Each structure stands twice: as C-alpha cells, then as structure tokens.
Amino acid sequence: MKINDPILLALIATGFTWFMTALGAAMVFFFKEINKRVLNMMLGFAAGIMVAASFWSLLAPAIEMAEKSSLPAWLVAAIGFLSGAAFLWLADRILPHAHFFAKEGEVEGIPTNWRRSILLVFSITLHNIPEGLAVGVAFGAAANSMSETGLLAAVAVALGIGIQNFPEGAAVSIPLRREGVSRMKSFMYGQASGLVEPIAGVIGAAMVTSMEAILPYALAFAAGAMLYVVVEELIPESQSGGEHESADLSTIGFIIGFAIMMILDVALG
C-alpha cells in the first residue's frame, strides 16, 4: 500500500489530537471547579495511555526496524530512547514553566516574570511536543513500511493520544478558571497548549520520510520523551493531594488508560 503524503496525514492526525485538546478545554464553559480526585484520575488516565503507546507504538517497532541496522538493535533503541529523555530534561531545565501541583512562586526553567497562568500552559505545551512527534513519526513509519498494518498502527497512536488529550485539555483550562482567569481566556490557553502537536507531528513525519535511516532512532526518541513526561510530571501530579483514595483513583485511571491504548494498538496494529 502506497501512502502518498505521510506529512499531510500526520497534519490531519495531529489536527485531530489538537481538536480533542480544544474539546476538553471547552469544559471550562460548563464547570468552574474540577474535583481533585477527578483531576487525578484524568491525569493517571493520560499517563497510562502514554506509557502503553511508548512501548507498543514506538519502542517495539523501533527495535524491530533496528534489527536491519548494522548496529545491535538494543543499542539503536537505547540511543534513541535516552536522547528523547535527555531532550525533554534539557527543555525542562531551560523553558520557564510551572506545574499545577507547585506552590505559588515555584517556577522551573530560566527565571521569568511571566504570569503563573502562562507558565502553567507552558508546562502542558512542553509535554505535548513528544505526543505530536510520536504521531508524526508513526505516520512516517507507515509510509516506510507501505503496509495497511503500519497505517492502522499510526491511526491507533493518533486515537490514543487524542483520547487522552480530552481530559488533559480540561485539566488545563478549569484550574486556570479557578485561579481567576476568564472562561474564554482559560479556553484559549487550554486549546493553545495543543497547537504544538501539529507542528511537532509535521516535523517528525518530514524527518523520517526524508531520512529513512533515522526512523528507529526517531521512534525510540519519541518514546523516551513521552516517558520522561509521564514520570516527571503526570504521575507525580496525579498522585498529589495527600488522600489515599485520590491516589487510588489516579492508579485506576492509569490502568484504564493503559488498557485502552493496548487494545487500540494490538487490535489495529
């Protein structure tokens, strides 16, 4: 099967993931508050999807493709994986941002006088980069394999990330509203956090289709970057609050998210 324009497909797919972010952010027009337990469960759900996608959609295909390389497959996967995590670690140290669970005035990255609302959006935007990259690289891999299975696997990645972007959009906009930002501004900030995904998706698809040799590295890179986000931000944030029941709900959300992404990937890919 010939995929004529994987870059266009990546743009359409990441357009869908952005739309789901915007749809979630629109919940701010209906709710001013979000229960902490519900928020924790949504964040755990997003983490579960990202962990499952990192293995089934990215790492496993990277290892399979790397077996054709002159280097050992494990080395190719490890180089890409560690590079992705290092990239996010560096971005986390440089770009100013704040976590939702952070206390007032706690800012990461270079010092700045930006408002907390902007810093919160930057935090979500930062971890949307590997999500968009994962979708773009998946469609680039589908173009490389020229198989229906590869295309369905890429669609599974887009669906999974789109599903987890809905609660993620709400998790951005509603807390901003609680901090006094207007409903419209909260929505605009929430949907804007997902705009980076189409950009990263197009870049990822363009890179792997023009430089086929980097494909297994790119897949593993996206996996490393996504898992860095999960461990550094989503899981700690989903477990915050100090209540045992709240932590249990975030764990349940993680399991459900992981299972949904696993089913999507195995059924479609």
Side-chain angles (χ1 to χ4, degrees):
M1 182 187 65
K2 177 72 172 175
I3 298 177
N4 293 321
D5 198 340
I7 296 174
L8 178 60
L9 288 177
L11 180 60
I12 293 171
T14 48
F16 163 73
T17 63
W18 163 81
F19 172 75
M20 293 298 289
T21 302
L23 205 60
M27 292 298 101
V28 76
F29 294 112
F30 304 97
F31 306 99
K32 184 177 180 179
E33 297 282 341
I34 184 168
N35 185 280
K36 179 60 178 172
R37 294 177 181 179
V38 174
L39 177 62
N40 284 0
M41 189 169 187
M42 291 193 307
L43 292 171
F45 177 83
I49 283 185
M50 290 176 71
V51 169
S54 294
F55 176 73
W56 271 283
S57 303
L58 300 171
L59 265 183
I63 293 170
E64 184 179 344
M65 291 176 188
E67 289 174 353
K68 302 172 186 176
S69 169
S70 57
L71 294 174
W74 62 264
L75 181 58
V76 172
I79 290 172
F81 184 84
L82 294 174
S83 297
F87 171 77
L88 257 291
W89 176 83
L90 188 61
D92 196 52
R93 292 294 178 275
I94 295 174
L95 297 177
H97 63 283
H99 297 293
F100 284 103
F101 62 81
K103 296 177 182 177
E104 189 68 35
E106 286 185 356
V107 178
E108 296 185 12
I110 59 175
T112 179
N113 293 322
W114 291 350
R115 289 179 298 171
R116 176 174 165 81
S117 59
I118 300 295
L119 295 171
L120 291 172
V121 174
F122 256 62
S123 177
I124 302 298
T125 302
L126 180 62
H127 86 234
N128 278 344
I129 294 173
E131 294 176 14
L133 186 63
V135 175
V137 170
F139 276 97
N144 177 260
S145 66
M146 293 188 295
S147 67
E148 184 178 345
T149 300
L151 180 59
L152 288 174
V155 170
V157 177
L159 280 174
I161 289 178
I163 290 169
Q164 68 97 26
N165 274 1
F166 179 84
E168 198 170 82
V172 177
S173 63
I174 295 176
L176 288 177
R177 175 62 179 155
R178 190 178 63 236
E179 294 198 5
V181 181
S182 71
R183 278 190 170 90
M184 181 54 73
K185 279 191 175 181
S186 296
F187 167 73
M188 293 303 294
Y189 285 148
Q191 63 83 29
S193 69
L195 285 175
V196 71
E197 290 190 10
I199 298 170
V202 167
I203 291 172
M207 285 181 62
V208 299
T209 51
S210 61
M211 295 177 283
E212 186 179 319
I214 71 166
L215 183 51
Y217 294 96
L219 286 165
F221 180 96
M226 284 177 65
L227 284 182
Y228 181 91
V229 168
V230 170
V231 177
E232 196 270 340
E233 183 170 343
L234 288 182
I235 289 179
E237 209 160 301
S238 72
Q239 295 284 325
S240 65
E243 296 180 11
H244 179 70
E245 186 178 343
S246 181
D248 283 348
L249 285 173
S250 73
T251 304
I252 292 169
F254 179 94
I255 296 299
I256 293 172
F258 188 98
I260 288 175
M261 188 66 226
M262 177 181 65
I263 291 167
L264 279 174
D265 219 316
V266 174
L268 294 179

